């Protein structure tokens, strides 16, 4: 080859400037004109719909610094979803999904604008549209969660209701047991006390023994810690002293009445307690009763009078002793309101009753020595020809029941209203009267039974009307 021909061929082989640019940015091959591909393969790729790029693939997004970022192709997103980088979600326009993506009007259209960090394929991006099956599965899962939450809430509410119901049932059973013990202790006290008073007519000695046993029980409870030991000042003791005096006299008069007349008659007379309560409250506290309360006192007074006229064991000593018992016990209640004893945290009703019992024992002991003397010693009982063991056993049982039924009465009063307590006291009196009549076989005439029934009905009516308080007058 000559030198001229070599230069010409070399000049022809040198790429031109436009050819270099075309080599740097090669144009995409046209469909159906791919080199090196068989015709059958090109035809098959042309027939597959997944090979066509959807219009969304040509959208662009503006990244940080105004850089144009092409949208990922569906094939890229499917691969990312397959390896767990993104999760499918509902198809929604990105510009409408977030307020920060609104705006960026360009060329009369709305371009979604991403944050300055550019496009991030995260689990919250939601760039891949979800299929209808996935949407249906998501709705079903949400419905199942809602049903499970509502079921758990209903189960919790049902469990709370059952727990409250069981707690209410337990409290009701406890209250019923306390009422049963109250009645039982009162019945045994009246029976054994009457048996002792029949053979040993010394009511001051017997009352002192009862206070002595109550003092021993209270001291045992304080020493062992069953009952918190009260911290009481001298001023409080002086305030409690009048209560202890009337408490002592009330129990002493009750025992004097039980020693003279039948148990049923004593409790029939003691049904007049509401009458003295209204009378003393009006005199010392200025609490005027309503007309309905005054009317409820009429059957009480009439029933007691009718029962007294037909009582087989009636005598004036027993009658006035029972009346004096009513006056002293109701005076104790009035004094409690009048003096307004300041109670400390440890001085609850049971502690107050225990302190009153101890003070009553120390108050009554010198009176016993000065009046009757010691009549419960073994020498005196044996000289009277009495069964020593029987007298002591019945006396101790009566004393224990005396202290126990009054403590249970205070426990019930702490759980129920005063009206409920007075109704329970009325029922207790009925139970004691019936059991004493059956046990001692007391002769009761129909008129006597009618009078007792009228008096107890009046007590029940009074306890119901006490809750109707008069309305305060407004100026």
């Amino acid at each position: 080859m000559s030198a001229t021909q070599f230069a010409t061929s070399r000049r022809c082989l040198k790429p031109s400037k436009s050819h270099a640019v075309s080599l740097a940015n090669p144009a995409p091959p046209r469909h159906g004109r791919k080199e090196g591909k068989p015709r059958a393969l090109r035809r098959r790729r042309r027939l597959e719909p997944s090979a066509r790029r959807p219009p969304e693939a040509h959208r662009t997004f503006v990244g940080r610094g105004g850089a144009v970022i092409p949208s990922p192709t569906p094939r890229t997103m499917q691969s990312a979803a397959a390896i767990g980088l993104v999760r499918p979600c509902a198809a929604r326009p990105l510009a409408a999904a977030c307020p920060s993506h609104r705006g960026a009007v360009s060329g009369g259209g709305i371009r979604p604008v991403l944050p300055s960090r550019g496009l991030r394929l995260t689990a919250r991006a939601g760039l891949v549209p979800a299929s209808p099956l996935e949407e249906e599965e998501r709705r079903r899962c949400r419905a199942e969660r809602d049903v499970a939450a509502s079921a758990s809430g209903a189960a919790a509410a049902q469990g709370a209701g059952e727990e409250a119901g069981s707690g209410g049932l337990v409290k009701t059973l406890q209250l019923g047991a306390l009422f049963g013990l109250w009645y039982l202790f009162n019945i045994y006290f009246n029976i054994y006390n009457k048996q002792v008073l029949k053979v040993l007519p010394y009511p001051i000695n017997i009352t002192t023994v009862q206070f002595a046993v109550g003092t021993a029980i209270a001291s045992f409870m304080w020493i062992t810690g069953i009952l918190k030991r009260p911290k009481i000042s001298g001023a409080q003791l002086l305030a409690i002293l009048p209560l202890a005096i009337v408490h002592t006299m009330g129990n002493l008069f009750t025992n004097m009445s039980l020693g003279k007349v039948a148990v049923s008659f004593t409790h029939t007379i003691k049904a007049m307690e509401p009458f003295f309560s209204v009378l003393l409250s009006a005199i010392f506290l200025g609490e005027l009763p309503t007309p309905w309360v005054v009317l409820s006192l009429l059957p009480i007074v009439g029933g007691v009078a009718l029962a007294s006229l037909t009582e087989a064991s009636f005598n004036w000593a027993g009658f006035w002793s029972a009346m004096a018992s009513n006056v002293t016990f109701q005076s104790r209640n009035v004094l409690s309101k009048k003096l307004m004893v300041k109670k400390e945290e440890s001085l609850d009703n049971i502690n107050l009753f225990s302190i009153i019992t101890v003070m009553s024992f120390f108050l009554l002991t010198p009176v016993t020595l000065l009046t009757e003397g010691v009549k419960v010693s073994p020498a005196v009982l044996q000289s009277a020809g009495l069964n020593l063991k029987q007298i002591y056993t019945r006396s101790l049982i009566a004393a224990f029941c005396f202290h126990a039924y009054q403590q249970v009465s205070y426990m019930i009063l702490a759980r129920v209203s005063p009206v409920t307590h007075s109704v329970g006291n009325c029922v207790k009196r009925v139970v004691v009267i019936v059991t004493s009549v059956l046990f001692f076989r007391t002769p009761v005439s129909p008129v006597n039974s009618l009078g007792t029934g009228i008096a107890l009905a009046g007590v029940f009516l009074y306890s119901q009307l006490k809750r109707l308080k008069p309305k305060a007058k407004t100026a």
Side-chain angles (χ1 to χ4, degrees):
M1 181 182 295
S2 62
T4 303
Q5 292 176 348
F6 179 76
T8 303
S9 63
R10 186 178 180 183
R11 187 169 54 251
C12 292
L13 292 174
K14 184 178 180 181
S16 63
K17 192 172 185 178
S18 61
H19 185 61
V21 173
S22 64
L23 289 176
N25 299 314
R30 299 180 180 178
H31 294 288
R33 292 188 179 182
K34 297 181 180 179
E35 298 296 334
K37 298 288 185 178
R39 187 181 298 274
L41 181 59
R42 290 198 301 270
R43 186 181 296 110
R44 187 168 63 253
R45 292 290 300 273
R46 187 166 57 249
L47 294 176
E48 291 178 359
S50 61
R52 299 180 183 180
R53 177 172 299 178
E56 288 78 6
H58 298 284
R59 294 182 183 178
T60 59
F61 299 90
V62 180
R64 180 179 297 179
V68 178
I69 302 174
S71 172
T73 63
R75 185 179 300 277
T76 305
M77 296 303 297
Q78 292 172 4
S79 302
I83 63 177
L85 294 177
V86 296
R87 61 178 179 82
C89 66
R92 59 183 184 273
L94 188 59
C98 180
S100 63
H101 296 162
R102 296 172 184 171
V105 180
S106 174
I110 298 178
R111 254 188 338 179
V113 180
L114 292 176
S116 59
R117 293 186 181 182
L119 181 65
R120 293 195 304 175
L121 298 179
T122 62
R124 297 183 180 180
L127 299 177
V128 181
S131 63
L133 293 178
E134 293 170 342
E135 282 292 326
E136 182 66 24
E137 180 68 17
R138 190 174 303 152
R139 283 195 296 269
R140 187 179 64 81
C141 291
R142 283 198 298 265
E144 289 179 355
R145 284 197 301 268
D146 294 341
V147 171
S150 62
S152 62
Q158 183 179 1
E162 291 177 355
E163 184 177 357
S166 61
L169 180 61
V170 170
K171 290 182 179 179
T172 303
L173 293 176
Q174 289 178 351
L175 187 60
L178 288 176
F179 270 99
L181 290 174
W182 188 23
Y183 295 171
L184 186 65
F185 287 142
N186 210 292
I187 291 170
Y188 275 98
F189 163 72
N190 283 277
I191 290 176
Y192 283 108
N193 199 34
K194 179 64 177 178
Q195 289 178 340
V196 173
L197 286 168
K198 273 185 176 181
V199 296
L200 193 66
Y202 299 106
I204 302 178
N205 274 263
I206 293 175
T207 307
T208 305
V209 170
Q210 293 170 359
F211 284 137
V213 173
T215 301
I217 294 174
S219 302
F220 173 77
M221 295 176 69
W222 286 332
I223 293 172
T224 57
I226 299 175
L227 192 63
K228 188 176 181 180
R229 185 180 303 176
K231 297 178 182 179
I232 190 167
S233 61
Q236 286 180 320
L237 285 176
L238 289 177
I240 296 173
L241 181 60
L243 302 179
I245 293 174
V246 294
H247 178 77
T248 305
M249 295 174 63
N251 286 281
L252 177 59
F253 285 132
T254 299
N255 285 334
M256 291 173 65
S257 178
L258 288 173
K260 297 294 183 180
V261 296
V263 175
S264 58
F265 184 59
T266 300
H267 283 276
T268 301
I269 299 173
K270 287 176 68 65
M272 286 191 65
E273 285 181 353
F275 174 80
F276 292 101
S277 176
V278 171
L279 181 63
L280 295 175
S281 297
I283 293 174
F284 295 102
L285 301 178
E287 296 179 356
L288 298 179
T290 62
W292 296 108
V293 171
V294 175
L295 289 176
S296 68
L297 298 177
L298 296 179
I300 297 176
V301 177
V304 171
L306 187 61
S308 300
L309 291 175
T310 57
E311 174 63 33
S313 63
F314 178 84
N315 67 70
W316 287 106
F319 176 81
W320 288 116
S321 298
M323 283 294 184
S325 173
N326 289 334
V327 173
T328 51
F329 277 133
Q330 297 310 310
S331 299
R332 180 189 61 185
N333 298 338
V334 172
L335 284 174
S336 299
K337 298 178 182 179
K338 187 74 174 177
L339 297 175
M340 294 296 292
V341 180
K342 183 179 179 182
K343 301 176 184 178
E344 298 181 5
E345 182 181 358
S346 60
L347 190 60
D348 53 5
N349 287 333
I350 298 179
N351 269 321
L352 179 61
F353 169 71
S354 301
I355 292 174
I356 290 175
T357 301
V358 175
M359 295 177 70
S360 297
F361 169 69
F362 286 105
L363 287 172
L364 194 58
T365 300
V367 176
T368 305
L369 296 175
L370 293 174
T371 55
E372 293 179 348
V374 179
K375 300 296 182 181
V376 292
S377 63
V380 174
L381 294 177
Q382 288 177 353
S383 63
L386 299 176
N387 188 336
L388 190 63
K389 181 179 179 181
Q390 188 182 59
I391 293 296
Y392 281 164
T393 302
R394 291 178 178 178
S395 298
L396 291 176
I397 293 176
F400 172 79
C401 292
F402 166 77
H403 189 83
Y405 91 77
Q406 297 201 52
Q407 273 207 353
V408 173
S409 175
Y410 278 108
M411 293 171 65
I412 294 174
L413 188 59
R415 287 171 168 81
V416 300
S417 64
V419 175
T420 305
H421 187 271
S422 62
V423 172
N425 192 33
C426 177
V427 176
K428 179 207 71 175
R429 207 171 297 283
V430 174
V431 172
V432 170
I433 290 174
V434 173
T435 53
S436 64
V437 168
L438 295 176
F439 184 83
F440 293 107
R441 298 179 181 180
T442 306
V444 180
S445 64
V447 179
N448 185 275
S449 302
L450 179 62
T452 304
I454 292 174
L456 296 175
V459 173
F460 179 79
L461 181 62
Y462 166 82
S463 63
Q464 294 298 313
L465 292 175
K466 277 294 287 184
R467 73 178 70 185
L468 302 177
K469 298 181 180 179
K471 297 181 179 179
K473 295 181 181 180
T474 57

